Amino acid sequence: MCKWNCDTGRLVGEPWKGDGGPIQTLALSPDGKTVACGREDGSVRRCDTDGNMIKSIWTGHSAWALSWSHCGGHIASGSSDGTILIREAESGKVAVGPIETNQGIVGSLAYSPLGDRIASGGDNTICIWDSNTGNLLIGLIKNLHYRVESVVWSLDGSKLYSASDEFARVFDSVSGTLLHRFKHDNSLYSVTLSPKHNVLACVGNYGLAQLWDTESHKPLGQPFWQEDRKHLSFVLFSRDGQHLAYSGGDKKITLWMWDCDTGCLVGIPERRKIGRITTLALSPDGKTIACGRANGSVERWNTDGKMAQSIWAGHGNWVLSLFLAYSPLGDRIASGGKGTICIWDSNTGKPLVSPIK
């Protein structure tokens, strides 16, 4: 396990090592002081966030999923044998279970905000359980296609969100009724809700990431992807709602900042099918970047990542790197395409001369 500084992105201390084989799942305690992890050998081990291992090791239940109760008093684990075990967080004593779910592998678990219910995701199914008795309250919710990789509760506990196949689904948590489906281009592996905004974040196969407004059910911007298109397996908002992190097949953690004023992630480019960037030029005052694209267009961005609304089109083909340059005063931009040169007013985008051929 590793601990990272969110501001610098640097590793804090040394990686924490332990026995039991690869880590299959992690869960942070509500007070942020303890990490529980499920390992390949079926053990659950805990350490504080300074990397000091807690001596007691829990065995007898192969944890594929872990979830802390919101008061921090209990930890639930979901196993590959289809059972759920609820333990006291301090002693490891079994409080409830094993609960026989009949869901195949229990790959995702989530305590409700009040801690009185637990949602479990398994093979094509979702169940909701009484966390005090282990009794089934809702389910089996079936026909979800593939394993349910992720479940998360709304802040008021009235809804449950899930990820499986290419849909993020939202259910009424009392009746189990399907309320809505958010469709994506590829299969999903993880969903998370912002604790302070009506935002659902979804990630999945081919590096897909998408944000949704949970009230209007409309997407917030276009989907965005990891450049290498490797799958994203986990996404999470920070507890203050100011950061969004995801990770996956590229073995990296990507951290985004949330802009409360605009309701958007900072630094995510708009996706447009206009060809790759072939050249860049920085304005003399260092505040604006001009870029030429393979479709012959020229765009301008400020150095905070916001694009000017107008896109200039004057070349029939590529804007070549040798011919995109600001004038010394920064009031004009010259661009060169295949066989043409254009000169633009850098503020308005209006051509100052006819294309030179």
Side-chain angles (χ1 to χ4, degrees):
M1 287 186 289
C2 295
K3 180 180 177 180
W4 305 88
N5 185 307
C6 289
D7 295 323
T8 65
R10 293 184 176 180
L11 180 67
V12 177
E14 296 295 325
W16 312 335
K17 298 181 180 180
D19 300 323
I23 294 172
Q24 298 182 136
T25 181
L26 286 174
L28 182 66
S29 63
D31 63 6
K33 295 181 179 180
T34 307
V35 179
C37 67
R39 289 192 177 266
E40 187 180 47
D41 66 353
S43 65
V44 175
R45 301 165 190 252
R46 294 162 300 148
C47 66
D48 64 30
T49 49
D50 290 324
N52 301 310
M53 300 301 298
I54 297 172
K55 290 185 178 180
S56 62
I57 299 172
W58 307 341
T59 59
H61 198 242
S62 178
W64 281 62
L66 291 172
S67 180
W68 288 77
S69 63
H70 286 260
C71 67
H74 294 86
I75 299 176
S77 57
S79 175
S80 58
D81 66 5
T83 62
I84 298 172
L85 208 60
I86 300 175
R87 292 183 170 103
E88 295 178 358
E90 286 294 327
S91 66
K93 180 181 177 181
V94 175
V96 180
I99 301 169
E100 298 286 346
T101 68
N102 297 313
Q103 291 184 270
I105 295 174
V106 179
S108 53
L109 281 177
Y111 264 95
S112 65
L114 294 179
D116 57 338
R117 293 172 290 171
I118 294 177
S120 61
D123 292 344
N124 311 320
T125 60
I126 291 174
C127 293
I128 298 178
W129 310 87
D130 185 309
S131 61
N132 296 308
T133 65
N135 292 334
L136 181 64
L137 299 177
I138 299 293
L140 296 164
I141 300 174
K142 299 181 179 180
N143 301 320
L144 301 181
H145 308 289
Y146 307 112
R147 183 183 304 163
V148 177
E149 303 283 357
S150 178
V151 287
V152 61
W153 294 81
S154 62
L155 297 180
D156 62 3
S158 66
K159 299 179 181 67
L160 184 71
Y161 293 78
S162 70
S164 62
D165 56 44
E166 70 271 26
F167 291 101
R169 294 173 172 86
V170 53
F171 300 90
D172 184 291
S173 66
V174 176
S175 66
T177 302
L178 177 65
L179 301 177
H180 188 72
R181 300 191 306 174
F182 300 90
K183 190 176 188 309
H184 300 78
D185 293 334
N186 295 292
S187 298
L188 296 182
Y189 295 137
S190 183
V191 292
T192 186
L193 288 168
S194 169
K196 293 188 177 181
H197 309 93
N198 299 314
V199 177
L200 173 71
C202 308
V203 300
N205 211 7
Y206 298 105
L208 169 71
Q210 175 69 66
L211 303 177
W212 299 89
D213 186 309
T214 57
E215 291 190 343
S216 68
H217 298 157
K218 293 182 179 180
L220 297 173
Q222 295 293 324
F224 53 102
W225 287 273
Q226 293 285 79
E227 289 184 1
D228 56 17
R229 294 298 181 97
K230 290 187 177 180
H231 72 273
L232 295 174
S233 55
F234 190 77
V235 63
L236 188 67
F237 272 104
S238 62
R239 290 175 180 174
D240 60 8
Q242 295 184 10
H243 295 88
L244 179 73
Y246 57 61
S247 64
D250 63 357
K251 300 181 181 181
K252 297 177 182 178
I253 297 173
T254 302
L255 186 68
W256 300 93
M257 292 182 62
W258 185 263
D259 189 326
C260 295
D261 294 328
T262 63
C264 297
L265 294 178
V266 177
I268 292 183
E270 181 185 358
R271 182 173 70 100
R272 299 189 314 283
K273 297 178 180 179
I274 57 176
R276 67 183 181 89
I277 294 173
T278 58
T279 179
L280 291 173
L282 183 66
S283 64
D285 62 7
K287 295 181 179 180
T288 306
I289 298 172
C291 69
R293 296 237 182 211
N295 70 338
S297 66
V298 177
E299 303 169 359
R300 293 164 301 146
W301 303 75
N302 67 27
T303 50
D304 291 327
K306 295 180 180 178
M307 191 183 76
Q309 291 184 352
S310 60
I311 299 175
W312 311 340
H315 300 285
N317 213 313
W318 289 31
V319 178
L320 303 178
S321 59
L322 294 178
F323 297 103
L324 182 58
Y326 274 89
S327 66
L329 296 178
D331 58 339
R332 290 169 292 171
I333 296 176
S335 60
K338 282 191 174 180
T340 60
I341 297 174
C342 295
I343 300 177
W344 314 83
D345 185 303
S346 62
N347 295 310
T348 66
K350 293 182 178 179
L352 299 178
V353 298
S354 300
I356 303 169
K357 298 182 180 181

